[in-house]
Amino acid sequence: MPGKARRVATATATSALVVCAVASCSLVGGGPDRGPDDPTSRRVVLVTHDSFAYDEAVVAEFEESSGIELDVRQSGDAGELTNTLVLSRDNPIGDVVFGVDSTFASRAIREGVFEPYRSPAAADGADRYRIEGADDETADALSAVDVGDVCLNIDVDWFADPANGGIAPPTGFDDLVDPDYRDLTVVPDPATSSPGLAFQLATIEHYGDDGWADYWAGLRDNGVKVTGGWTEAYTQDFSGSSGAGPRPIVVSYASSPAAEIGEDGEPRTTALLDTCYRQVEYAGVLAGAAEPDGAREVIDFLLSEPFQSQVAENMYVYPVREDVALPESWEAAAPLPEDSAALPADEVDANREDWVEQWRTIVLG
């Protein structure tokens, strides 16, 4: 999943999660009147990615009302999480999963990782993001929980500074191969980064089978820098982040500018919304779960108004519920893109490995 929000702005909120993930413990503990030895308490294991963060009070209320002791276990980024689920499908490592995104969803479904379940709450917005091109049973294997659009982000202040040569801010993909923008762009490697892969898919959707490879050759020749992951690209190389790196163009998220508000109340960065690729994060009941009923209740909770209303501030992604408003600061700095690119999940699944290998040959040699 998600901009600065995904790993930087949520660092404090996730610190307790990391400790608990290592210890495989319950984060909230079942409420004040219900301990782990209470026979009415059900322990449900939620497997998720490293960027999962939330309002503890909201989860505590869910635990208290449901009698579920939520045991959160983190397992890398979206790609690592999917690989772990596939490898353990005959002996599932939990009951429910959150964080498989739209670039990996078809693979997990094809490998039989999930048991179909459609939450009653899906009608409130999640159904808009059902797995495209799937039959009803396959589509119900996963429930959309949040949306995180990957886009080019630029440092507005850098381009406004005359000392940087008076270069006009880029407006889309094509500008990045113009010699004026040489050595200004940093991207995460799609082989090792979910947003990096999403950006590659955006270029494939934009330029088509016959043009995307030539585009990346142009980026290579124009000095694009490739990092192993989003964190390095954004926090070390991007000039618009706290790291104040040397490059004013980065692959990040449409929501990232909301984390870069200056003292004057204005965002210091902006996302180029014509370059966005829609990533959807899903939750699903794991086939063979020890607590399938509890797993379904957790999905209902993830789609509920109390959980959805704190998604933006804790994980810097967009909630799927249509009746949940974004934080006020997001309305100007980080509106949800209206027309993000997306490729069918089955097409991505069928071609992902070949596309990434072709990318590596072109860009890294």
Side-chain angles (χ1 to χ4, degrees):
M1 127 128 222
K4 188 169 188 175
R6 300 291 289 180
R7 292 177 177 82
V8 178
T10 60
T12 301
T14 57
S15 59
L17 287 170
V18 174
V19 173
C20 254
V22 173
S24 296
C25 62
S26 171
L27 289 164
V28 182
D33 300 321
R34 185 179 289 113
D37 296 327
D38 190 316
T40 65
S41 179
R42 294 170 293 156
R43 179 171 163 273
V44 175
V45 177
L46 169 63
V47 185
T48 185
H49 53 53
D50 289 344
S51 297
F52 182 58
Y54 55 83
D55 183 329
E56 291 191 6
V58 171
V59 175
E61 184 176 347
F62 164 70
E63 288 193 315
E64 176 65 20
S65 63
S66 66
I68 285 175
E69 177 193 350
L70 194 60
D71 182 348
V72 177
R73 303 184 183 184
Q74 294 166 298
S75 186
D77 64 16
E80 293 171 311
L81 174 62
T82 303
N83 288 336
T84 298
L85 295 174
V86 169
L87 291 173
S88 63
R89 64 186 180 275
D90 294 329
N91 186 24
I93 58 175
D95 302 299
V96 59
V97 64
F98 163 70
V100 173
D101 70 30
S102 46
T103 59
F104 295 100
S106 285
R107 181 193 174 202
I109 291 172
R110 173 170 47 82
E111 295 287 351
V113 168
F114 305 108
E115 173 186 305
Y117 173 64
R118 182 180 180 276
S119 170
D124 295 320
D127 277 346
R128 294 177 292 169
Y129 306 106
R130 295 180 84 203
I131 302 298
E132 189 175 336
D135 57 39
D136 286 345
E137 182 173 343
T138 302
D140 287 340
L142 287 169
S143 299
V145 173
D146 65 63
V147 176
D149 293 52
V150 173
C151 322
L152 289 169
N153 278 221
I154 64 170
D155 179 352
V156 175
D157 292 344
W158 190 97
F159 284 101
D161 187 345
N164 292 321
I167 302 171
T171 60
F173 293 108
D174 290 349
D175 289 333
L176 273 57
V177 297
D178 187 302
D180 284 347
Y181 300 90
R182 182 179 299 279
D183 299 331
L184 298 186
T185 304
V186 57
V187 303
D189 188 332
T192 55
S193 164
S194 179
L197 176 58
F199 183 65
Q200 183 191 5
L201 297 178
T203 64
I204 292 170
E205 196 278 339
H206 185 77
Y207 291 103
D209 291 339
D210 297 328
W212 75 267
D214 289 340
Y215 176 71
W216 278 98
L219 285 177
R220 176 201 63 205
D221 295 343
N222 213 35
V224 68
K225 181 175 181 179
V226 178
T227 65
W230 174 87
T231 302
E232 180 183 352
Y234 195 90
T235 65
Q236 297 181 29
D237 289 291
F238 181 46
S239 62
S241 74
S242 58
R247 295 183 178 237
I249 307 171
V250 68
V251 169
S252 194
Y253 295 84
S255 56
S256 297
E260 303 296 353
I261 306 295
E263 293 182 0
D264 59 359
E266 297 295 324
R268 298 186 300 262
T269 67
T270 191
L272 304 185
L273 300 186
D274 288 341
T275 67
C276 295
Y277 187 89
R278 178 140 294 172
Q279 275 189 313
V280 181
E281 288 191 314
Y282 295 94
V285 178
L286 291 172
E291 287 283 353
D293 291 338
R296 298 183 190 102
E297 290 181 56
V298 170
I299 292 178
D300 294 344
F301 166 64
L302 295 176
L303 296 182
S304 70
E305 191 278 334
F307 183 86
Q308 289 279 301
S309 65
Q310 51 88 65
V311 158
E313 292 184 324
N314 282 283
M315 292 193 288
Y316 274 65
V317 288
Y318 303 94
V320 295
R321 282 187 71 108
E322 297 176 288
D323 58 354
V324 171
L326 293 174
E328 185 176 346
S329 62
W330 286 46
E331 295 300 333
L336 177 66
E338 294 181 359
D339 192 27
S340 289
L343 294 171
D346 54 354
E347 181 179 349
V348 174
D349 186 47
N351 295 284
R352 179 177 54 247
E353 291 184 9
D354 288 342
W355 283 337
V356 170
E357 185 58 36
Q358 189 175 355
W359 178 94
R360 294 185 70 87
T361 300
I362 295 166
V363 180
L364 303 182

